Amino acid sequence: MATPGPTPLAPRPSGRRWKFGLGLGSLVIGAVVGSSLLGNVPIPLVEGLEIFLHQLSGGALFPQVCAGSRSYAVHCAALTYIVWQLYLPEVLLALIVGAALGLSGGALQGVFRNPLADPFLLGISSGGALGAAILYVYRIQEARADLFLPLFAFVGAVATGLAILGVARGRYSSVETLLLTGVAIANLLSALLSLVLLYNPTGGEQVTFWLLGGLGLADWQVVGIAFGAVLAFGTVLVLYSRELNLMQLGADVAQSAGVDAARVRLVVILLASLTTAVAVAFTGIIGFVGLVSPHIVRRVAGTDYRIVLPGAAAVGALFLLTARDVDYLAFPSSVLPIGIFTAFAGVPFFLYLLFRQRRSSLMGGS
Amino acid sequence: MTGPPAAPALKLRDLTVHYGDRPALLEVNLDVPAGQFLALTGPNGSGKTTLIRSVLGFLAPEQGAVEVFGRPVRSLAIRDRARQIAWVPQEESLRDDVPLRDYVLYGRFPYRGRLEGDSPDDRRLADRILSDVGLQDRASDGILSLSGGERQRAVLARALAQETPLLLLDEPTAHLDISHQLDLLERVRTLCRSHGVTVVAALHDLNLAARFADRIVVLSRGRRVADGTPSEVLSEDLLARVWGVAADLEQDRRTGLPYLVPHQLIATPRPKPSSAFVGPVHVVGGGGAAAPFLRRLAEEGYGLTAGTLHLLDSDAEAAEALGVPSAIEGPFAPLGPAARERNRSLLTEARAIVVCPFAVGPSNLANLEDVLPFVRRTPTFLVSQPPIGARDFSAGAAESAYRGLLEAGAVEVDDLGSLLAALHERLTILSAAP
């Protein structure tokens, strides 16, 4: 993992937080450039960097990059295409989706006051999966799958979020009820998914691959849409950090201090669903990023949600990018679904955090 | 010229709340003027917390209204409410190890826009409040590192940071030891006096309530059953009626405030002996020995008389509080002929006589001697613990008078419990006889 290791638990002076943010920022930039040269086709480092800077500067830097003697122009043009049209969008999509998952995981953990809450547990991801499965299995608009797959997945995820919210509006619903409702809905959805796949084996393979998550849909258009949506939803979520801080004292205390707890619950769950839906729509189900990222931030930078939410977005972004890179490094020829990698990397790390946490109380016992 | 009368800080009108079918508050009316420290007390389940939650606007009243400074509380936006009312819950669930100063700054939430951070003024305010509650040295420590007493003061500091004119406390001292109880309430009182803040505190400890509050309101089964200054409200009768506990009312010599010394639970009353056969039971005592007997017998439904008691003695006070006709002598004086005459006439009327284990000296030896002529015709019970030898200050005269009573047919009982059993049996038999 490309993040600083956990340090002993204590409230951090704010100087540490800034250093943490700064370090994280430079890590991201370095990782983006490095990762863009990494994929099925190995890109020579120097040439790759030149191509990268050439494209980035709109042709001002290294104008001769493909006219030199080092490689044939066709070869260079192919490399340019690979770096700029395939790898970089993939890298950016990994960052955006990782950020979206980390952010919505952090927000959901905050609003449910539960360290296990994440889009997965609550069934928001499964809702997206069901939407996608319906598309594949019933061959709806197959010709325009690039457009309709994200659409169906998005609708499925958002619908699940709304279903949980429907319960949240109930007068007597406690946070626990809500959480359990989410878990119940998640189970119902995976049962439905199994049912759909069982009776319609055609299309099942595509669905399965999509269920494991992947960055295959990445292109500049997808990156643009995802970036805009996640930025919009994420910004509003981050603006609810203070409310989330107070919600940790319990909904009643928060309300006595001026927080409209019911509204915060609605808005945050809705926004977290939307953010997750964007991620699920383009990359399928990628587990563990949403669960682990906020925990890492709380470990390192304290429990203030004004730090936890942006921090979880940054850590999630890095996490997913790292998973992509490790994937290419370990299996250069046959790319495994990225969701498998996040689980392989995430589970041991999460268990480690969990057992360390036993001794302190990072997020209370529940 | 005077302005219009200011609206009370808190006004409840016919407030009624049910949990399911169970009534939690029934037509409670209350006016709390600004600046008052009101203690809300009553047994568990009497509606204290429900009242506080209604004032916070958490519960919608089925009937009646809650007004804070003249405005219905639920008509206020949640943010505006938080600028009017702050709340210290019984125990706040603190899970994250937030630095104490940041935690206190949570109280500034209702004053900050979404994009604003904490201002330097906010930070200064937080530091001032922290030093008011005595936690200035812990400002950078995590809240989870605080002790129980410190933690409750931190919660108070968070509530004070809201700078509200009304502060609600729900059993703020429930988990604190006695010194932290006094410390917390003393700070609340001081801060609220100096800032003119109105305080409504649910306190189940009546003595703490009497010590700190300007006014005590007692709730029982959702109704307001007593309301007034501590001296008006605190009484043995109240404790017996509302809590079912026998107690003595005393006065704190230092503060002049009343306080209650609880003794025992009052058993669920047996079927009361019917007044047809229960004439008065005459209780002989002095020096405080008779008070618990008087109270318990009254509670059991016996008609009572008492004598001869000294004025200002706690037995005489108990008799007066219970409305028991008594023969009374002046303070510390030897029993005079008038008082003894009155005592004898009460003894004549009595259906049973109880001689309490009082200390006997030359001045009140007559109390034993006066009983003797009545022993043969009236059932007489001598409470034998502590033994007469241990409380004889008359050089043996008391002991021989006591033996005289026994020889005349008086019955010894060990204590209050066996007395009740013996009285019950004896008087039932008497009434059953033709």
Side-chain angles (χ1 to χ4, degrees), chain A residues 318-328 338 341-342 345:
Chain A
L318 262 184
F319 183 14
L320 198 56
L321 185 57
T322 310
R324 172 200 176 270
D325 292 351
V326 171
D327 194 355
Y328 278 124
I338 198 165
F341 262 87
T342 55

Side-chain angles (χ1 to χ4, degrees), chain B residues 187-221:
Chain B
R187 285 176 198 276
V188 169
R189 187 170 62 174
T190 312
L191 292 169
C192 296
R193 287 274 149 77
S194 57
H195 292 83
V197 172
T198 312
V199 178
V200 175
L203 292 172
H204 62 230
D205 187 325
L206 264 177
N207 290 328
L208 274 182
R211 192 180 157 108
F212 291 101
D214 303 318
R215 173 179 171 194
I216 296 180
V217 167
V218 183
L219 293 178
S220 176
R221 294 161 204 256

Side-chain angles (χ1 to χ4, degrees), chain B residues 131-144:
Chain B
S131 77
D132 282 347
V133 300
L135 289 175
Q136 64 277 19
D137 299 335
R138 311 295 307 266
S140 309
D141 296 346
I143 43 175
L144 297 183

Side-chain angles (χ1 to χ4, degrees), chain A residues 11 113 239-240 242-243 245-246 248-249 252-253 255-260 263 303 306 361-364, chain B residues 53 58 78 82 85 87 92-96 99 103 106 109-110 112 114-116 118 142 144 158 162:
Chain A
R113 300 175 75 200
L239 289 178
Y240 275 87
R242 282 166 79 100
E243 276 91 337
N245 276 340
L246 273 111
Q248 304 316 303
L249 308 176
D252 284 350
V253 174
Q255 182 152 335
S256 80
V259 174
D260 188 341
R263 213 190 82 202
T303 54
R306 287 174 293 184
S361 66
L362 195 60
M363 185 114 181
Chain B
R53 294 180 68 82
F58 292 169
I78 287 172
I85 314 167
W87 176 44
E92 193 160 308
S93 73
L94 304 174
R95 326 174 125 209
D96 295 341
Y103 171 74
Y106 285 175
F109 178 83
R112 289 290 151 257
R114 200 168 282 290
L115 293 172
E116 283 178 89
D118 303 313
L144 297 183
R158 177 192 57 67
Q162 286 175 240

